[in-house]
Amino acid sequence: MNTPLAEVLDGQHSAELRRAARALLKEPLLLARGPRSDDFRLVRRHASELREWFDRNTGWPLHVDADSARLLKTPGSLADPTHPAREVSRAGAPFTRRRYVLLCLALAALERGEAQVALGRLADQVVLDAADPHLTAAGIHFTLDRRDERLDLAAVVRLLLKLGVLRRVAGDEDAYVSGAGDVLYDVERRVLAGLLATRRGPSTVRADAFDERLAELVAETALDSDDLRFRAMRRSLTRRLLDDPVLYYDELTDAELAYLTRQRGFLTARITELTGLVAEVRAEGIAMVDPDDDLTDVRMPEQGTHGHITLLLTEHLAAARGESVTTGDLRRKVRELAAEYAGFWAKSAKEPGMEGELVEQALAKLAALGLITRRGDEIAPRPALARYAVGETVVLEPRTTRMPQQRKASRQ
């Protein structure tokens, strides 16, 4: 029996809408040119429905024009430091405080500048702006005379190239770093204008404390009715279900927990319908799991030495059954594992003194996945870590253990 044409078309429409939504969640800034151009065209085709869904359920505005599609995502938790911007390289080192300041100064300079800019000229403007008394009072100084400072600026520029804010016309950043040349860029002003994801201009913020300033940047309008308060909770919870690997009940306020208890089925069904993520509900919380293992920037398990070490330490932490473990304990464990798995690990991982770095890399990944909390040198396993525990009998099932997550760099 032939399937009715209307049913086929509805199925195609739903599949395209899902692909478009997933593309935006994975890369909130899509360009009309480049490797994600197909995703951009799909988002543009379904912009109206996507805009309505994200506005109603998350409060994230979606702006689409001929050049780009920008989902103005704000994180569910403003205090989460586990998904920093990262260097555009194989190493993917997280941005330091200095690089973040350079990024902000570079964006400010580009906003005031012309349609083209040379890297040397941009550097001069950054140094000039960095002389602001407020920055110097905070201990921030840039001269860009030193190679390490030029490396930091080059890392910022490469991130802007990846985002599409800049387009290289001639030259190479390595030549600038070594002092042997300069680089010329086109400035994509529309992409630059849509980069900031805030509800209000930073210059209008009056708070002094850092956390209060962040809260003001993304604060919604006055919640002076039950309907507005419920809408704000629905948006906040949906953002966290989409953006965090695990939503733990003990991190919610009493009002949020009561709302989630009543509306859990509705919230998770809406997310599943649009994105294909599947709710895994446990006594401690909810994870929206991706059967396609695509909507994540932090994977576990991973191949290679670091992935193996992380998995082994995860099993070790799971065996602690909720008891805190110190980083010293984990360093000793890595030394033991290095002897046991000497034939499988990279040579550098077995060198004396490397255990500290290996432990830090593993803990950063586990924190990003919501599997641990860290207070100084004390590591406390979170309930979701139990899925990695090894018992006497292990039954392997064809299921993913990776959870949907967006980078802070792509929480753009």
Side-chain angles (χ1 to χ4, degrees):
M1 183 175 178
N2 293 330
T3 304
L5 179 59
E7 188 175 332
V8 172
L9 294 176
D10 285 344
Q12 290 177 345
H13 176 271
S14 297
E16 283 193 358
L17 185 64
R18 175 172 293 185
R19 282 172 51 204
R22 289 172 65 91
L24 281 172
L25 290 172
K26 189 172 183 179
E27 293 287 347
L29 175 57
L30 296 171
L31 304 179
R33 53 176 174 76
R36 304 296 301 276
S37 58
D38 288 345
D39 289 334
F40 166 78
R41 285 192 287 271
L42 204 58
V43 168
R44 193 177 185 193
R45 186 181 307 157
H46 298 281
S48 179
E49 288 177 87
L50 291 167
R51 187 180 294 113
E52 181 181 356
W53 194 97
F54 282 114
D55 178 68
R56 173 175 174 75
N57 294 283
T58 66
W60 293 336
L62 173 62
H63 300 310
V64 181
D65 58 31
D67 301 313
S68 64
R70 179 70 168 108
L71 181 63
L72 294 170
K73 293 182 64 195
T74 52
S77 171
L78 297 177
D80 179 9
T82 60
H83 293 267
R86 292 188 176 274
E87 188 177 295
V88 183
S89 68
R90 182 173 296 181
F95 265 36
T96 60
R97 178 172 180 258
R98 183 164 70 179
R99 288 186 177 182
Y100 275 118
V101 175
L102 277 173
L103 175 61
C104 293
L105 292 174
L107 289 171
L110 292 171
E111 179 64 29
R112 300 191 305 268
E114 303 296 331
Q116 281 193 330
V117 65
L119 182 48
R121 172 61 181 150
L122 179 61
D124 291 341
Q125 188 61 55
V126 165
V127 170
L128 186 63
D129 291 345
D132 183 282
H134 293 89
L135 292 177
T136 55
I140 297 168
H141 304 280
F142 294 117
T143 64
L144 297 177
D145 292 333
R146 303 198 314 267
R147 188 174 188 276
D148 63 319
E149 290 187 330
R150 294 197 298 274
L151 278 170
D152 285 336
L153 183 58
V156 165
V157 165
R158 285 174 178 139
L159 177 61
L160 295 177
L161 286 166
K162 178 184 177 183
L163 294 174
V165 174
L166 297 177
R167 186 161 36 149
R168 190 186 295 110
V169 177
D172 180 78
E173 290 79 30
D174 291 336
Y176 166 79
V177 170
S178 63
D182 208 341
V183 196
L184 181 65
Y185 306 101
D186 284 335
V187 181
E188 301 294 337
R189 305 204 66 81
R190 285 191 177 183
V191 179
L192 173 63
L195 207 58
L196 191 63
T198 62
R199 293 184 179 276
R200 57 189 300 179
S203 62
T204 66
V205 173
R206 296 288 177 255
D208 294 322
F210 180 68
D211 55 348
E212 293 176 357
R213 290 178 66 82
L214 283 180
E216 275 195 40
L217 281 171
V218 298
E220 297 195 41
T221 54
L223 306 178
D224 51 6
S225 71
D226 287 342
D227 285 345
L228 289 176
R229 283 188 286 272
F230 290 147
R231 185 189 69 177
M233 279 190 282
R234 180 180 71 245
R235 287 175 166 180
S236 175
L237 291 168
T238 304
R239 288 196 296 265
R240 296 185 67 172
L241 287 168
L242 283 171
D243 219 28
D244 295 346
V246 187
L247 175 62
Y248 288 110
Y249 299 143
D250 62 9
E251 296 175 343
L252 303 177
T253 65
D254 291 342
E256 288 173 332
L257 182 57
Y259 183 86
L260 181 59
T261 301
R262 296 193 306 269
Q263 301 292 332
R264 184 184 68 196
F266 170 77
L267 293 178
T268 56
R270 292 280 288 174
I271 293 173
T272 299
E273 180 183 13
L274 181 72
T275 67
L277 300 176
V278 178
E280 183 177 296
V281 182
R282 300 291 178 94
E284 302 85 5
I286 305 172
M288 298 301 300
V289 180
D290 183 13
D292 295 333
D293 184 29
D294 182 50
L295 292 185
T296 182
D297 66 327
V298 181
R299 285 182 166 79
M300 176 139 174
E302 279 188 319
Q303 295 181 345
T305 299
H306 292 300
H308 190 209
I309 292 171
T310 302
L311 185 60
L312 292 171
L313 289 182
T314 303
E315 294 173 355
H316 177 69
L317 287 166
R321 300 186 181 279
E323 297 294 326
S324 294
V325 177
T326 68
T327 53
D329 295 332
L330 296 179
R331 286 194 291 268
R332 286 190 289 274
K333 183 64 177 178
V334 168
R335 286 194 291 270
E336 295 173 9
L337 293 169
E340 184 177 353
Y341 294 99
F344 301 95
W345 288 4
K347 182 179 179 180
S348 60
K350 296 174 285 186
E351 294 177 357
M354 276 296 294
E355 58 271 10
E357 180 179 336
L358 295 170
V359 166
E360 290 300 321
Q361 289 177 345
L363 293 180
K365 177 166 290 190
L366 297 181
L369 288 170
L371 300 177
I372 63 168
T373 54
R374 182 174 184 176
R375 294 178 180 87
D377 285 335
E378 283 201 358
I379 312 302
R382 295 292 277 154
L385 193 77
R387 59 164 49 211
Y388 295 96
V390 177
E392 294 182 2
T393 302
V394 180
V395 178
L396 299 179
E397 299 179 358
R399 59 184 293 178
T400 180
T401 59
R402 291 120 179 185
M403 302 178 184
Q405 186 66 290
Q406 291 297 312
R407 283 179 306 173
K408 285 283 185 210
S410 66
R411 287 177 176 176
Q412 305 155 35

